[in-house]
Amino acid sequence: LSPNTSYAMTVTAGDAAGNWSAPSTVLNASTLADTTAPSVPVGLNITGATVNSFILNWTAATDNVGVTSYRVYKAGVLYNTTSGTSLSITGLSPNTSYAMTVTAGDAAGNWSAPSTVLNAATLADTTAPSVPVGLNATGATVNSFTLNWTAATDNVGVTSYRVYKAGVLYNTTSGTSLAISGLAVKTSYAMTVSAGDAAGNWSAPSTVLNVSTVADTTAPSVPVGLNATGATLNSFTLNWTAATDNVGVTSYRVYKAGVLYNTTSGTSLAISGLAVNTSYAMTVSAGDAAGNWSAQSAVFNASTLADTTPPTVPTGLA
């Protein structure tokens, strides 16, 4: 019979001639409620351990009526319920121990005490990710480009990538692209990438990709703000505002009356050996390391001073 269940019982009487009485009055007879919990599960063990899973096994519990299910706990928290005597435990961290217990239950809702704790460990992760492939470069400029690659794979998970320039670590990233900057103009760079996981396993470097920056064909801006200071009878200092460039201005050419006077890396130049009280048409052009030169600036007319000092008074007259 089933526990805690009422049954309607009657009896009829019969004789040798096959005569049977009417049924007796009904007696409702009940079985007792099942209040006995199953035995505590024993024999916990694991099989099939990987870096992120294992199978937990145990010996079947016993019960006065019958065990119907088992609750499996990980670190004291219910992980899952099963009717069998084994359960796959997944989604775990590599090289980590987990405190596992099991309780047994019956159809009446009686549950045993938890089993003795089994400390079950996953395996250490010693497998490196796959070597990154598909390296390519986009957005090349005179001093930068973006390096891209296909995501690597791993038995647990790729966490980062090391990017090397000419065999030297340039930077680390969690993505599959990286901006490479601060480069020389029209220069080739040997780029490789390796993939790593959380356990510190790193793949071999990828195949080398030679990536070049583009040539600098952009001239600097035209210098502006020309002015003169410190004028004397035969000299002055020509000044101007620094020009700009996509890479960098390296020098300036200074012209006097359209003829190259001198070259300088600064933004001022002393102009000397000039005639008194004379105006000079001055222009400046800016250049970069690639040999690109701006147009000449607007003309600035700079003058030397007039001679206002009278001659000395003659002496020694006889």
Side-chain angles (χ1 to χ4, degrees), residues 46-61:
I46 64 165
T47 54
T50 71
V51 293
N52 54 17
S53 68
F54 53 74
I55 297 172
L56 183 67
N57 313 284
W58 57 92
T59 303

Side-chain angles (χ1 to χ4, degrees), residues 66-158:
V67 175
T68 57
S69 57
Y70 297 89
R71 289 173 176 167
V72 177
Y73 295 83
K74 177 163 67 73
V77 178
L78 180 63
Y79 175 80
N80 212 337
T81 302
T82 180
S83 59
T85 56
S86 66
L87 187 67
S88 179
I89 313 298
T90 61
L92 309 177
S93 298
N95 199 28
T96 303
S97 179
Y98 294 89
M100 306 302 300
T101 55
V102 180
T103 62
D106 60 22
N110 300 302
W111 288 93
S112 74
S115 67
T116 300
V117 172
L118 173 70
N119 290 304
T122 52
L123 300 182
D125 179 10
T126 58
T127 303
S130 63
V131 175
V133 296
L135 271 68
N136 66 90
T138 54
T141 71
V142 292
N143 54 16
S144 69
F145 56 77
T146 298
L147 185 68
N148 314 284
W149 57 92
T150 302
T153 58
D154 186 62
N155 62 325
V156 177
V158 176

Side-chain angles (χ1 to χ4, degrees), residues 164-191:
Y164 295 85
K165 178 164 65 71
V168 178
L169 180 63
Y170 175 80
N171 212 337
T172 301
T173 180
S174 59
T176 55
S177 66
L178 186 68
I180 314 297
S181 58
L183 308 178
V185 177
K186 201 178 181 182
T187 303
S188 179
Y189 293 89
M191 306 301 301

Side-chain angles (χ1 to χ4, degrees), residues 209-233:
L209 174 70
N210 291 303
V211 185
S212 295
T213 52
V214 300
D216 180 10
T217 59
T218 302
S221 64
V222 176
V224 295
L226 273 67
N227 65 89
T229 55
T232 70
L233 299 176

